[in-house]
Amino acid sequence: MKSKRRLVIISVPFYRIAKVSLSNLVLGKLREKNDVVIVAPFAEEAGFQHNFGGTNTSFLGWKVGPLSGYQEMLYSISETMRMNGFWRRYKKYYISNQYTRFGVDGRDNRLGWLQCFGYWVLSVVGWWPRAWKFVDHLIGTGWCRFPRLIEISRQYDHVTLIQSANWGQQDRALATLSLLHGWRKVMLPYTTDQLDVNGFLINKFDVVCVQGDYELKRAREYHALSESRICRLGSAWFQHLEVIRATIENRPATRQVTREFILYAGVSSLYFRRASEFEAVDAIVSLVSRLKKKYNVIYRPEELDNARRDAIRKRYEGSDVVELQWPSVAASGLAQFSEVSQESALEQTANDLWGCSVVVMSTTTSLALDAAFLSGSGIVANMVDSTGVLRKRKQDLLAHDWFPGLRIADSMTQLLEHVECLLNSPEIAKQEAAQLLTLWDYRDVSFQATLHRAVHGGARQPNHVNEPGAPGRLRLSYATSPLVPEGKSTDWVAVDEKTDFIHQFAIKGLPPGDYTIEAWHEKFPAQTLKVTVGPKETKTADFSFKG
């Protein structure tokens, strides 16, 4: 007999994803009414299970299935077509570098002519979005076997697979299984790259959750997704960060600290020369020494190698201005798993960004958005490279594409001018930060309610538990007194099968107070709820009309 509960499978191919798909806002909500199976290479690690275990939650370890030499070759061809064909179609920066293997500190290597020709052919053929799937059919499905997961899934009438990465063998295999067994498929991207850079979608997703308008545009233009398959969810990571921020703000020690600093956010030396980062950090230190107001400079190199870390420590060990920070596995780890509590590690990362006035980053990094979210930091992209490596790689295409309206410095003079301007005009810094963040998040969405609908809503599966609402026109009326008809009303909005019979009304700019909200449906009696809204508070009122 099959279970009346639903099963949700969460794919976590590397640890960095956990901060999004395994946050309490996501995992906690899902296991309220579902059984959850977490699939990960490190799922059997005791520390991982201690971090994320709980009611209705189980773990399955993932191991790469056996691939013959012939299958490995076809898989490589398929993945190259999926990625490089996408780049040829949409991403000038990446396709211009497809014949180059980036080396540490700019020591790049160009592929041989035969490899270049092969990549050119595969990218041209792969320009057609379905070409890579043809090669997948030749590989077959034998390598995707996961008998224990299939055995568990057959105990449920309703199964949903949540994937956060649009690449990698684990997610390619799970995508194949979801299609074979008719599971509902949901994309919850852990970074914008999943829709912007990482190729054509690996699965035929029923729903793709977008964080903000930037991803919405990519979902429509790059992946041709219809509105019924797009869910405006908002940023799961920013929702998580909001909880962490509240924790930090409520500490008495935090309220007493008023430090202000400039953060230099480094990236891997594969993408930006470490010596160029040193030059920028030193120039910022020199600028700070001339300012009346004193700022510390925090340098955060993206470096996990212990020997290279020691060299960086030695360079700055005598400085009374420069402080070093190191990225945590929870924030940036891929294959690694950290025994440290995820919440503790992420809270430390957020605390490290607290009070940041300006972020200077090597090319681009999402850490700058985290600082903008937490502290309203101004952002400057450092493109200063005297060796010409960045120019040769056409790096400017990437920065302009990913951060519209971003301050970009092409010379050291320009870099310092940007930093000084943002330090002297914090209101401009906060305004620019807020503008950037609007592209990456929907702040007015009821996150958990929307997530629930993304995971379950609109599925046409047997014995569907939640029947859809009734079609027709809806509107809301609201007032500060029980006499709602004398208050204000939204416009009428039509709902039908194309919208999953759902519509979200966002009422913005309300002052704190007690409100009466009345929902109107043209075919049913009105429904009323009372809501109290506090300062800077977002509240949700849910109404349901069913025939």
Side-chain angles (χ1 to χ4, degrees):
M1 183 176 178
K2 293 190 175 184
S3 171
K4 292 183 179 180
R5 290 178 65 84
R6 296 172 177 267
L7 176 67
V8 176
I9 303 166
I10 303 178
S11 176
V12 186
F14 43 87
Y15 193 53
R16 185 181 173 189
I17 282 180
K19 72 179 187 179
V20 174
S21 59
L22 299 185
S23 69
N24 188 54
L25 285 164
V26 176
L27 181 58
K29 180 65 177 178
L30 291 175
R31 55 188 171 198
E32 284 180 4
K33 297 182 180 180
N34 309 277
D35 292 333
V36 176
V37 173
I38 299 172
V39 179
F42 33 75
E44 296 173 2
E45 297 276 352
F48 183 74
Q49 295 189 10
H50 176 75
N51 263 338
F52 303 108
T55 308
N56 308 321
T57 305
S58 57
F59 299 85
L60 282 181
W62 167 263
K63 293 181 181 178
V64 177
L67 284 169
S68 67
Y70 172 72
Q71 287 176 316
E72 285 187 1
M73 178 190 70
L74 289 178
Y75 179 85
S76 178
I77 290 173
S78 168
E79 192 66 358
T80 301
M81 290 170 67
R82 189 182 71 83
M83 283 281 198
N84 294 43
F86 179 86
W87 296 344
R88 179 166 293 281
R89 196 179 183 105
Y90 299 115
K91 310 301 290 185
K92 292 181 180 179
Y93 166 76
Y94 291 93
I95 200 63
S96 67
N97 287 295
Q98 71 168 336
Y99 307 130
T100 303
R101 292 294 171 265
F102 291 174
V104 173
D105 288 330
R107 294 189 287 272
D108 297 349
N109 292 306
R110 185 174 174 84
L111 300 177
W113 71 268
L114 189 59
Q115 286 178 295
C116 290
F117 179 72
Y119 274 100
W120 179 82
V121 170
L122 293 178
S123 69
V124 170
V125 176
W127 188 87
W128 181 47
R130 298 182 61 86
W132 67 276
K133 294 182 181 180
F134 174 77
V135 180
D136 258 17
H137 289 309
L138 300 178
I139 301 173
T141 60
W143 71 283
C144 303
R145 290 174 187 158
F146 202 163
R148 179 58 183 147
L149 180 61
I150 300 306
E151 179 185 350
I152 293 172
S153 70
R154 284 174 176 163
Q155 300 172 26
Y156 298 82
D157 282 325
H158 312 278
V159 180
T160 299
L161 170 67
I162 296 179
Q163 296 180 283
S164 294
N166 190 44
W167 61 285
Q169 283 197 0
Q170 174 173 316
D171 277 303
R172 285 284 300 269
L174 288 174
T176 299
L177 289 177
S178 70
L179 292 169
L180 287 174
H181 296 278
W183 302 339
R184 181 171 174 81
K185 301 162 285 294
V186 176
M187 166 61 82
L188 178 64
Y190 81 98
T191 62
T192 296
D193 283 354
Q194 310 318 304
L195 296 175
D196 187 40
V197 174
N198 288 355
F200 297 111
L201 294 178
I202 61 174
N203 207 341
K204 190 176 180 180
F205 292 104
D206 296 284
V207 172
V208 172
C209 299
V210 296
Q211 299 181 92
D213 283 344
Y214 186 87
E215 288 185 4
L216 176 64
K217 185 177 181 182
R218 294 315 188 245
R220 288 170 172 168
E221 296 181 359
Y222 291 178
H223 304 288
L225 295 178
S226 63
E227 290 300 314
S228 63
R229 294 174 61 197
I230 298 173
C231 172
R232 293 168 176 79
L233 179 64
S235 171
W237 168 232
F238 282 169
Q239 289 283 336
H240 193 175
L241 209 55
E242 185 72 69
V243 174
I244 295 172
R245 173 163 65 181
T247 301
I248 295 174
E249 283 180 332
N250 289 331
R251 288 182 185 152
T254 303
R255 290 193 288 269
Q256 296 171 10
V257 175
T258 57
R259 68 169 184 163
E260 295 179 85
F261 60 90
I262 302 166
L263 172 67
Y264 192 97
V267 298
S268 167
S269 55
L270 282 173
Y271 306 111
F272 197 87
R273 291 174 64 249
R274 189 72 70 212
S276 295
E277 286 192 355
F278 293 158
E279 290 171 8
V281 171
D282 294 346
I284 293 170
V285 170
S286 178
L287 169 67
V288 166
S289 68
R290 300 194 300 270
L291 299 176
K292 293 181 179 180
K293 189 173 182 178
K294 297 303 178 186
Y295 294 89
N296 279 352
V297 177
I298 295 180
Y299 177 31
R300 191 178 188 273
E302 186 69 30
E303 185 59 75
L304 298 176
D305 181 80
N306 288 330
R308 295 195 185 104
R309 282 191 175 192
D310 287 341
I312 296 171
R313 286 191 189 98
K314 186 175 180 180
R315 178 181 178 88
Y316 291 106
E317 62 185 358
S319 174
D320 57 354
V321 177
V322 178
E323 175 187 335
L324 295 177
Q325 286 181 0
W326 306 104
S328 68
V329 173
S332 59
L334 293 179
Q336 309 99 322
F337 163 68
S338 171
E339 293 286 345
V340 178
S341 161
Q342 176 183 249
E343 285 305 300
S344 298
L346 294 178
E347 191 174 311
Q348 182 58 53
T349 299
N351 195 66
D352 289 342
L353 299 175
W354 199 263
C356 177
S357 300
V358 176
V359 179
V360 180
M361 57 183 178
S362 296
T363 63
T364 56
T365 169
S366 60
L367 186 74
L369 292 177
D370 297 348
F373 181 86
L374 287 166
S375 302
S377 312
I379 303 175
V380 182
N382 177 19
M383 297 289 185
V384 183
D385 172 40
S386 58
T387 66
V389 172
L390 295 184
R391 191 179 309 109
K392 185 177 179 181
R393 294 177 179 177
K394 298 181 175 61
Q395 192 77 30
D396 59 309
L397 294 175
L398 181 62
H400 286 287
D401 182 46
W402 200 60
F403 277 89
L406 178 69
R407 289 175 180 259
I408 298 175
D410 296 312
S411 68
M412 198 61 70
T413 299
Q414 194 177 33
L415 174 67
L416 298 180
E417 287 175 351
H418 282 314
V419 171
E420 189 168 9
C421 172
L422 293 171
L423 290 175
N424 291 333
S425 305
E427 68 284 353
I428 292 178
K430 291 185 183 299
Q431 182 180 357
E432 292 181 2
Q435 176 125 15
L436 278 174
L437 291 173
T438 59
L439 296 173
W440 268 270
D441 191 22
Y442 292 121
R443 298 292 293 154
D444 297 321
V445 169
S446 175
F447 181 84
Q448 290 189 320
T450 306
L451 174 66
H452 177 83
R453 287 191 287 267
V455 172
H456 300 307
R460 299 296 180 258
Q461 295 180 340
N463 303 320
H464 192 61
V465 175
N466 294 319
E467 292 298 324
R473 295 191 307 151
L474 303 172
R475 77 173 182 182
L476 288 184
S477 298
Y478 53 98
T480 54
S481 75
L483 301 175
V484 177
E486 297 181 5
K488 297 181 179 179
S489 296
T490 66
D491 293 332
W492 287 98
V493 173
V495 294
D496 53 27
E497 186 176 2
K498 292 181 180 179
T499 65
D500 289 336
F501 305 96
I502 293 168
H503 183 77
Q504 292 181 342
F505 293 95
I507 304 173
K508 303 178 182 179
L510 293 179
D514 297 324
Y515 290 88
T516 300
I517 301 178
E518 197 164 65
W520 294 77
H521 191 293
E522 62 183 353
K523 299 177 182 178
F524 296 91
Q527 298 180 17
T528 302
L529 285 177
K530 294 184 182 297
V531 176
T532 299
V533 180
K536 298 182 179 180
E537 187 177 21
T538 300
K539 284 292 184 69
T540 301
D542 292 322
F543 299 91
S544 178
F545 295 96
K546 295 183 180 180

